[in-house]
Amino acid sequence: MSTTPANFESLGLSAPIMQALKDAGYESPSPIQAEAIPRLQRGIDIVGQAQTGTGKTAAFALPLLDQLDVKRLQPQVLVLTPTRELAIQVAEAFQAYARHIKGFHVIPIYGGQSMGIQLRLLKRGAHVIIGTPGRIMDHLRRKTLSLDAIKSLVLDEADEMLNMGFLEDVEWILEQTPAGRQVALFSATMPKAIRDIAKRHLREPEEVKIKSATTTVPTIEQSYWQVRGVHKLDALTRILETEEFDAVIIFVRTKSETTDLAEKLEARGYAAAALNGDMKQSVREQTVEQLKNSTLDIVVATDVAARGLDVVRVTHVINYDIPYDTEAYVHRIGRTGRAGRKGRAILFVTPKETRMLRMIEKATKQQITRMELPSKEAVANLRLEKFKQKVMGIISNENLDYFGGVIEHMESEHAVDSRDIAAALAFLLQGKQPLNVVEKAVPVKKERSEKIPGREAARESAREPARPRKEFESKRPHAGDKAQPLKKFPDIEMIRYRIEVGKQHGATPKDIVGAIANEADIESQYIGHIKLYEDYSTVDLPEGMPKELFQHLKNVRVRQHKLNISMPHSGQSGAASQSAPSRKKPGGAPNKKPAGSHKHKPAAKKPRSHE
Ligand code: AMP
């Protein structure tokens, strides 16, 4: 495990920040945070070698937020990022960590966004500015941004800024900042040009690095799945359904995620429980004991809680969230392959975390093989096979004379044949868990274009809190049959659907959002514009809805009326479902209505006492 010494309490962060960390479910600082935060608090310049996935954003955001003078509405922190995506992401992180700091304002500023909006926001004022170098320079030249009050400056992903040819601009901006300011430079790699910048513009900087680990245990078979097209939870479910496992430890980053994920797995029929640092020692011990004695099969843990965990029957470790450093990775996968047994480790890697994957491979001197996710068909076939086996097992092992008589009686009494009765019984048996695999649509991103209409408004400022459901209730103009982009996720391609409930049925947008969110398991924030007409309505949903989901939604009811969803103008609500909704990618995953076939254990076995 990483040698992270500190806990957040010992870092002396202010109460509002501590509350935000609690809200986020963070358990302990990542190694880069433990190293960087105390230095930044002491005003020391730092050069941090860290990439995405190490927790570097909080490493600079937390201490710099604490140093702000909130009463003074002037830019006191400037963060330069190579891309607008990162600018937005970092602004959102600042906003989240500052959620309990009253009156706090942050503005992301990047090329491609309308100048008008930026000027308006800058005029309104902010404490923190996050921006791409080119656009920041524009504002400095126009004198629409002043750096006079800047106390700290962060160069995030400096090597990327170098690759993109921004280094001169970065130096120019550095020269415009007050002499006494503190600088934190973060870079995944440290080419000479970056070191030179550090030499020229930083004051006796201290290096902050995450340690690279030793070697891994050779009996562990390691693979990774590149997160794409399928939600992580659905990918996990597919893996759990197809892998032969005895016990599994799933690693996540936050305490809240341990409980969320354990509950979701439990709802899917697994004997799963959380293990995190918030739980009492006695409860943690009890959970580990239950994993040992097979009362539990899956434990969803944070690094801290799983430290030293030694359970021989753990055959699999799944890194649901990538670890912060290679040491954590080595520790995590070492929870399997105990007592000389074979083990399997699976790592989920989002595209942005690829660099972290390479770093792990380098430090462990082992290649991690890329794995393909089992297909939905493979999972469905397996479920069917298990189902058949279950039925055949009963036929061969049980005395069915009495029930045989009941069936014969039904056949003659209701003039139905035994095939239909058997089918109805199979239907009953599967209950809410379908044999086919129903998964949640993964929103498909639009092609990247320089200007994404709607984005500016959506992100007008990271300070504007999301207003999810409410906006559906507001009367907005009907925009023909073209779906409107989501305010919050303007990159997601939306499709306008027609549903057969409207004002005359007493339906409200809230009812519709509720029904779709619950039944299709589409988060309400992905449900777009809803327009009510007399006897029907339209609703905008992310493109890529799987066929099964589309079919399922047809039968969902609002105010007792079936939605009978269709694509407007397709003229054939049924046929549309065969192809239209999944024009690009049939998304992935999943749903609350799960698998009929994996291990079923009584829910009562889950220890709940930690809650
Ligand atoms: P970053 O490397 O800054 O891109 O952060 C990667 C992810 O780790 C983000 O989703 C953060 O919210 C999360 N994260 C950062 N610090 C912590 C922490 N101490 N505990 C749990 N999650 C964290």
Side-chain angles (χ1 to χ4, degrees), residues 141-359:
R141 289 211 175 98
R142 288 166 173 237
K143 306 233 179 298
T144 44
L145 170 66
S146 157
L147 300 183
D148 293 349
I150 289 289
K151 292 195 253 183
S152 314
L153 193 127
V154 180
L155 309 181
D156 197 6
E157 299 196 352
D159 49 354
E160 281 304 312
M161 293 203 268
L162 169 73
N163 294 342
M164 294 170 81
F166 290 151
L167 227 47
E168 272 182 27
D169 299 356
V170 170
E171 288 214 71
W172 186 85
I173 295 167
L174 272 160
E175 282 156 16
Q176 316 304 310
T177 54
R181 84 284 186 264
Q182 177 181 28
V183 185
L185 182 155
F186 284 91
S187 196
T189 56
M190 285 292 164
K192 185 170 175 302
I194 301 291
R195 293 203 177 276
D196 287 349
I197 289 248
K199 258 190 226 142
R200 278 201 293 277
H201 298 277
L202 276 64
R203 256 176 320 166
E204 298 169 28
E206 291 190 9
E207 277 210 28
V208 174
K209 238 181 174 179
I210 51 170
K211 290 195 195 86
S212 280
T214 46
T215 46
T216 47
V217 187
T219 49
I220 300 169
E221 183 194 335
Q222 300 170 59
S223 34
Y224 74 93
W225 171 60
Q226 181 81 61
V227 177
R228 201 178 13 215
V230 179
H231 282 279
K232 271 163 113 177
L233 175 61
D234 296 310
L236 176 67
T237 314
R238 286 198 207 176
I239 289 171
L240 291 175
E241 284 202 52
T242 46
E243 290 279 323
E244 291 270 335
F245 68 84
D246 201 359
V248 186
I249 300 186
I250 300 171
F251 281 96
V252 295
R253 287 221 150 148
T254 61
K255 293 182 278 193
S256 35
E257 228 183 326
T258 60
T259 43
D260 282 1
L261 190 56
E263 273 165 21
K264 284 184 176 136
L265 291 174
E266 239 198 332
R268 284 163 158 78
Y270 293 101
L275 189 70
N276 67 51
D278 263 2
M279 293 158 58
K280 279 204 251 139
Q281 185 60 26
S282 58
V283 179
R284 280 202 248 170
E285 282 165 14
Q286 191 191 343
T287 305
V288 174
E289 194 45 46
Q290 287 176 321
L291 189 66
K292 279 187 185 156
N293 68 25
S294 307
T295 309
L296 285 173
D297 292 329
I298 301 178
V299 160
V300 186
T302 51
D303 287 310
V304 174
R307 207 170 273 170
L309 194 134
D310 187 5
V311 178
V312 175
R313 64 182 282 267
V314 173
T315 48
H316 287 64
V317 163
I318 299 180
N319 290 287
Y320 192 80
D321 292 331
I322 200 161
Y324 298 117
D325 63 0
T326 53
E327 272 186 270
Y329 178 78
V330 173
H331 175 267
R332 284 177 176 194
I333 72 164
R335 300 311 94 207
T336 180
R338 308 297 290 175
R341 298 191 183 194
K342 281 216 163 89
R344 178 147 161 66
I346 297 172
L347 171 65
F348 285 7
V349 183
T350 63
K352 282 189 175 167
E353 293 161 350
T354 309
R355 205 191 272 269
M356 189 62 155
L357 165 74
R358 301 295 163 228
M359 194 174 137

Side-chain angles (χ1 to χ4, degrees), residues 8 21 24-30 33 51-59 86 89 97 253-254 324 353:
F8 280 117
L21 296 177
Y26 290 7
E27 192 166 70
S28 56
S30 72
Q33 290 163 5
Q51 55 264 307
T52 299
T54 52
K56 68 175 162 62
T57 315
L86 188 61
Q89 202 180 306
Y97 298 134
R253 287 221 150 148
T254 61
Y324 298 117
E353 293 161 350

Side-chain angles (χ1 to χ4, degrees), residues 310-598:
D310 187 5
V311 178
V312 175
R313 64 182 282 267
V314 173
T315 48
H316 287 64
V317 163
I318 299 180
N319 290 287
Y320 192 80
D321 292 331
I322 200 161
Y324 298 117
D325 63 0
T326 53
E327 272 186 270
Y329 178 78
V330 173
H331 175 267
R332 284 177 176 194
I333 72 164
R335 300 311 94 207
T336 180
R338 308 297 290 175
R341 298 191 183 194
K342 281 216 163 89
R344 178 147 161 66
I346 297 172
L347 171 65
F348 285 7
V349 183
T350 63
K352 282 189 175 167
E353 293 161 350
T354 309
R355 205 191 272 269
M356 189 62 155
L357 165 74
R358 301 295 163 228
M359 194 174 137
I360 292 172
E361 286 183 318
K362 206 169 142 207
T364 57
K365 298 195 184 71
Q366 287 193 19
Q367 216 188 342
I368 304 179
T369 359
R370 185 175 173 141
M371 66 179 273
E372 291 304 324
L373 214 53
S375 68
K376 276 210 273 188
E377 291 67 33
V379 176
N381 285 340
L382 216 86
R383 284 184 191 174
L384 197 58
E385 256 338 289
K386 288 186 186 165
F387 176 77
K388 286 187 209 162
Q389 275 171 19
K390 223 191 241 168
V391 175
M392 294 315 290
I394 293 175
I395 292 176
S396 18
N397 300 324
E398 303 290 339
N399 180 348
L400 299 174
D401 291 349
Y402 170 75
F403 292 108
V406 172
I407 300 296
E408 277 172 15
H409 186 72
M410 279 182 82
E411 276 186 295
S412 55
E413 195 181 25
H414 298 283
V416 283
D417 63 30
S418 49
R419 182 189 172 279
D420 288 341
I421 299 174
L425 290 173
F427 181 84
L428 265 184
L429 188 66
Q430 75 162 1
K432 280 197 142 192
Q433 303 186 317
L435 286 172
N436 59 343
V437 182
V438 184
E439 297 187 338
K440 191 172 184 171
V442 175
V444 178
K445 287 206 161 196
K446 280 182 198 164
E447 289 296 297
R448 272 176 72 180
S449 67
E450 248 318 290
K451 264 196 172 176
I452 301 176
R455 169 154 238 167
E456 297 86 71
R459 308 283 197 196
E460 191 170 319
S461 145
R463 72 180 143 195
E464 280 188 8
R467 290 178 301 127
R469 288 178 181 230
K470 274 257 159 62
E471 70 193 27
F472 299 124
E473 282 151 16
S474 64
K475 295 259 176 300
R476 288 190 282 168
H478 180 45
D481 283 315
K482 236 174 143 295
Q484 292 182 8
L486 288 172
K487 273 196 158 191
K488 214 171 159 199
F489 304 104
D491 287 359
I492 295 172
E493 197 82 60
M494 302 296 283
I495 301 270
R496 178 152 296 177
Y497 292 94
R498 176 184 161 123
I499 51 177
E500 301 306 319
V501 286
K503 286 184 195 160
Q504 71 179 40
H505 308 113
T508 64
K510 220 171 171 178
D511 296 334
I512 295 169
V513 171
I516 296 176
N518 290 333
E519 289 293 333
D521 206 6
I522 295 176
E523 286 172 33
S524 56
Q525 56 182 346
Y526 291 115
I527 301 173
H529 183 70
I530 291 177
K531 172 83 182 162
L532 293 178
Y533 295 88
E534 219 27 56
D535 56 349
Y536 75 98
S537 309
T538 60
V539 52
D540 296 349
L541 296 172
E543 188 187 45
M545 189 193 309
K547 210 163 69 184
E548 297 85 347
L549 211 57
F550 186 72
Q551 283 301 347
H552 180 68
L553 273 181
K554 281 183 181 297
N555 295 318
V556 168
R557 286 169 191 265
V558 165
R559 306 263 159 171
Q560 269 87 56
H561 289 272
K562 274 193 189 179
L563 293 185
N564 215 359
I565 191 166
S566 62
M567 313 259 302
H569 303 319
S570 69
Q572 34 174 331
S573 63
S577 67
Q578 298 305 311
S579 55
S582 318
R583 272 181 305 175
K584 273 192 185 163
K585 259 190 229 169
N591 193 302
K592 292 170 187 158
K593 315 171 182 83
S597 49
H598 43 60

